[in-house]
Amino acid sequence: MKKAENQNRHIYWNPYFGGFLLGLLILFTFYITGRGLGASGALKSSVVTVVNQVSPEHSETNAYYSKFLKDSNSPMNNWLVFEALGVILGAFLSGALTGRIQWQTQHSPKITARRRLVFALIGGLLFGFGAQIARGCTSGAALSGISMMATAGFISMLTIFGTGYLVAYFFRKNWI
């Protein structure tokens, strides 16, 4: 484990430096777009588009989906979609430049790759569900909200990470 950490030390940035750059990115995003960062909104736009393509009647009569289909513009014509595409492309570019593009599942030796993927799927679904209830995810509700000194941003951040710490106790044996 120690050897692996030493091998990866040159690949990954210092997390504090990454946090500093993320803060600068949020300020830059507010300056350019007038809005903060977001991620879950892109997935919501994608889901609305797919539902509208599969069953237009359902999406137009559904109270939730129809909110995003009022204008003649496609839900995909949203800055969050382009931001998410940029994040994906940037991740691939970063991986390509550092030689880290490969199919792998990182997991503890105590669990199987399949179990790791199932837990990731369950966690992702719960997080996405929570993001819809909170009307934003870590980046949209928490980081952008805190940067605007919004009370909801602080509550979102404390709840997201507080819940993570509480739940991590029960699942720690999957990692350590």
Side-chain angles (χ1 to χ4, degrees):
M1 186 71 172
K2 195 77 164 173
K3 184 179 179 183
E5 288 177 9
N6 288 335
Q7 288 176 340
N8 289 332
R9 188 172 302 255
H10 70 283
I11 295 175
Y12 299 107
W13 286 4
N14 181 315
Y16 298 110
F17 182 66
F20 173 74
L21 290 179
L22 182 59
L24 290 179
L25 179 64
I26 289 174
L27 291 175
F28 183 71
T29 304
F30 272 112
Y31 181 74
I32 296 296
T33 67
R35 301 181 61 174
L37 295 172
S40 56
L43 183 60
K44 178 173 37 186
S45 294
S46 302
V47 169
V48 170
T49 299
V50 169
V51 170
N52 191 38
Q53 292 297 316
V54 171
S55 177
E57 300 84 23
H58 173 71
S59 61
E60 291 170 6
T61 57
N62 183 285
Y64 182 75
Y65 296 128
S66 64
K67 291 187 300 188
F68 305 100
L69 299 169
K70 288 181 181 173
D71 300 328
S72 59
N73 291 336
S74 168
M76 297 301 280
N77 190 16
N78 184 323
W79 72 275
L80 290 173
V81 173
F82 296 104
E83 176 199 284
L85 290 173
V87 168
I88 292 169
L89 291 174
F92 275 109
L93 180 63
S94 172
L97 292 174
T98 58
R100 292 186 297 145
I101 292 182
Q102 60 182 332
W103 284 106
Q104 69 176 26
T105 304
Q106 293 182 341
H107 60 89
S108 165
K110 295 179 180 178
I111 65 171
T112 63
R114 180 180 176 161
R115 182 176 175 155
R116 167 70 175 110
L117 293 174
V118 167
F119 275 42
L121 177 66
I122 293 170
L125 288 172
L126 289 172
F127 195 82
F129 185 71
Q132 290 307 300
I133 291 173
R135 298 193 56 128
C137 60
T138 310
S139 56
L143 292 176
S144 295
I146 286 176
S147 66
M148 296 175 48
M149 301 299 288
T151 305
F154 287 100
I155 292 171
S156 295
M157 182 67 85
L158 291 173
T159 305
I160 289 168
F161 285 100
T163 304
Y165 280 114
L166 290 174
V167 173
Y169 175 81
F170 300 104
F171 294 96
R172 70 187 185 285
K173 295 200 185 285
N174 287 321
W175 290 101
I176 54 176

